[in-house]
Every structure is written in C-alpha cells, then in structure tokens.
Amino acid sequence: GWAILQVPNANSIARQLAKERWSGWDIPAHLTHFTPETLRWTAAKAGLEPVELNYSSVGTLANWVTWGPSAICRILVFLVDQLCDLLRAGDCIVLFARRPDLRRSSD
C-alpha cells in the first residue's frame, strides 16, 4: 500500500549552482523533472496521498566541484550536502505516499 518515490529535485541548490551541468538533467533517464510541489501533485493525481516528503543529497555537488579528491574536500562536500537537506533543497526528493483508503483502515 505504500509508494516511496525518489527523484532528482529540480529546486535543489546543486541544480541552481550547476545549471546545465546538473546531473539530474540526465536525459533519457529522467524525462520529467520534479519539484517538491509537482511531485506531490503527480502522486495525488495518481490516487496517492502524500504523507511525508524528505530530501536526500546523493553527491551531485561532488560531480562538478573541482576542489580535488582530498579527504577534506570530500568532508566539505558531505557537510554542504547535509546543509542542503536541512534547508529542504537537497539533490533528491523522497516522497512517501499511500492510497487514502488503506490509510483509514490501518490507523
């Protein structure tokens, strides 16, 4: 009864910084690009009730940052990713949704 959807976040800080170099534009793997609002809307149109929305940075910033491969650089990118998630602007949107009729019967 649950759907867990994870897609690139077209509102992410990484997308804003990388512009056309953002890895989330990966066509043809990603034919549609979502923001948190459009993902909620799409789930609702499919008959799902959006229950929770989270952000998960998966390192797309590291794809275009040229600071180098040192441990300090990797730690800095990790910390920036975590900050982006806290600011609700991480690389990926993770939406937990379920059918409304199942929610009523299981509560």
Side-chain angles (χ1 to χ4, degrees):
W2 281 94
I4 303 170
L5 309 169
Q6 181 171 339
V7 297
N9 179 8
N11 277 353
S12 72
I13 290 173
R15 198 268 316 149
Q16 294 171 33
L17 294 173
K19 298 182 178 20
E20 69 278 350
R21 295 179 299 152
W22 181 54
S23 61
W25 296 134
D26 185 20
I27 296 172
H30 301 292
L31 296 176
T32 304
H33 298 90
F34 295 94
T35 66
E37 296 77 25
T38 59
L39 185 59
R40 281 189 191 105
W41 180 86
T42 301
K45 281 296 261 186
L48 297 171
E49 177 186 359
V51 176
E52 184 177 334
L53 188 118
N54 294 309
Y55 297 83
S56 174
S57 288
V58 294
T60 59
L61 279 175
N63 290 337
W64 64 271
V65 172
T66 58
W67 297 336
S70 73
I72 291 174
C73 291
R74 287 193 305 268
I75 290 169
L76 285 173
V77 169
F78 172 79
L79 292 173
V80 169
D81 278 343
Q82 298 307 302
L83 180 60
C84 290
D85 292 344
L86 288 173
L87 295 173
R88 304 181 62 78
D91 298 346
C92 292
I93 311 162
V94 183
L95 179 69
F96 295 84
R98 59 182 168 183
R99 287 190 1 216
D101 57 325
L102 291 178
R103 181 167 190 184
R104 285 191 296 271
S105 64
S106 66
D107 288 344

